[in-house]
Amino acid sequence: MDTLFDAGRTASAETLALELDRAPLAYLEGALANPLLQPRLVLRILKQNRSVTGPLIVRISRNRAWLKPYEVKTAIVLHPRTPRVVAMNLVQFLWWRDLARVADHTALAPPLRRAAERFLSVRLQELATGEKIALARIATRGVIGVLRRQNDPMVIRALLQNPRLLEEDALAIALARGTPPPVLQALAEDARFSLRPAVQKALVHNPETPPAAALRLVQHLSPRALKDVAHAPHVPALVKVAALRLIEARTHPEGVTPCTARFELNN
């Protein structure tokens, strides 16, 4: 063991570069005492070597010169063997994309992942639209709750593509009275959630839903849901009329049909 430690401590920069990826722990411990060990080589240790231990990472984190590069901070936080206290101290320095990686890294401790989600949620308003769109596609559950309150339809369209998004999230968007019409339009056009009866009903009931979208969705509602729409106080009159026509058409199919009801509404 002492031989391996001394080999790491006295190795040249070139030898370190060749050995660090697969070196045993004793060699790595010696390398940390080697004055030729540079941050780029420390990054190699963190990313490539499977012998890295928690105590070794603690030693790395205590060296300001090694810790200064952003890539080293990120590698430490993302390493599953990093002691929680070290990772929690560094996660605040990560950029949004790496915070998203931490939040999605199932091998990391849940408190660390939740901390990454909190930082993401706080910094969300600082992100450019393109960054919000990219985040919306990959966001974890803890961030989706914040993203679904965004007023940009492009962000919401990206969020609707996120496989982690649940029907309860789509309902929250549809039911919110402050949701802008373009966002409701995006939800009404979504292939996955616009087919859900609960989402359809919520969109039809929301007075901010664009009329064309509401009139299209109302045709898919159940008889009970149509009656609710017809008597709802905040539903636009045009949508109420459409609901009443559909009830009549389904009750008396020999009379007015849904097709003629739509024709009458348009004339």
Side-chain angles (χ1 to χ4, degrees), residues 196-216:
R196 308 286 179 91
V199 176
Q200 291 174 343
K201 182 178 178 180
L203 284 169
V204 171
H205 275 264
N206 194 320
E208 298 300 323
T209 299
L215 289 173
R216 176 175 56 82

Side-chain angles (χ1 to χ4, degrees), residues 95-108:
W95 300 333
W96 77 265
R97 195 175 294 274
D98 291 314
L99 285 171
R101 290 172 63 196
V102 173
D104 194 33
H105 199 321
T106 56
L108 300 180

Side-chain angles (χ1 to χ4, degrees), residues 21-205:
D21 288 0
R22 295 180 297 275
L25 179 60
Y27 187 97
L28 296 179
E29 290 174 338
L32 294 190
N34 190 322
L36 299 178
L37 187 68
Q38 298 297 314
R40 63 180 180 83
L41 297 177
V42 172
L43 189 61
R44 290 268 298 274
I45 293 173
L46 292 167
K47 285 190 169 184
Q48 303 295 335
N49 196 296
R50 296 183 179 181
S51 299
V52 171
T53 63
L56 195 81
I57 294 175
V58 171
R59 288 182 60 189
I60 292 172
S61 70
R62 289 174 177 169
N63 187 306
R64 293 185 178 180
W66 294 339
L67 196 60
K68 187 175 181 180
Y70 175 82
E71 294 77 10
V72 174
K73 294 187 186 73
T74 305
I76 289 176
V77 176
L78 284 166
H79 201 291
R81 295 179 184 170
T82 298
R84 186 185 304 176
V85 65
V86 174
M88 293 290 277
N89 286 336
L90 294 177
V91 68
Q92 61 185 307
F93 298 108
L94 301 193
W95 300 333
W96 77 265
R97 195 175 294 274
D98 291 314
L99 285 171
R101 290 172 63 196
V102 173
D104 194 33
H105 199 321
T106 56
L108 300 180
L112 176 61
R113 297 171 64 193
R114 289 194 294 269
E117 289 179 330
R118 286 196 299 272
F119 282 116
L120 268 176
S121 299
V122 170
R123 297 179 192 174
L124 185 60
Q125 299 307 320
E126 302 172 3
L127 301 183
T129 298
E131 293 172 323
K132 291 180 182 178
I133 291 171
L135 175 60
R137 293 193 181 103
I138 61 173
T140 51
R141 290 295 309 160
V143 183
I144 285 175
V146 180
L147 280 166
R148 73 189 190 192
R149 295 195 291 271
Q150 292 293 297
N151 291 333
D152 191 324
M154 292 189 296
V155 175
I156 297 301
R157 288 183 189 277
L159 186 61
L160 291 168
Q161 298 172 18
N162 188 323
R164 295 187 178 93
L165 193 78
L166 303 178
E167 182 173 330
E168 65 187 66
D169 302 304
L171 274 174
I173 296 171
L175 290 170
R177 286 291 179 258
T179 304
V183 169
L184 295 170
Q185 181 73 39
L187 179 56
E189 294 173 351
D190 182 70
R192 180 163 53 131
F193 290 107
S194 66
L195 300 178
R196 308 286 179 91
V199 176
Q200 291 174 343
K201 182 178 178 180
L203 284 169
V204 171
H205 275 264

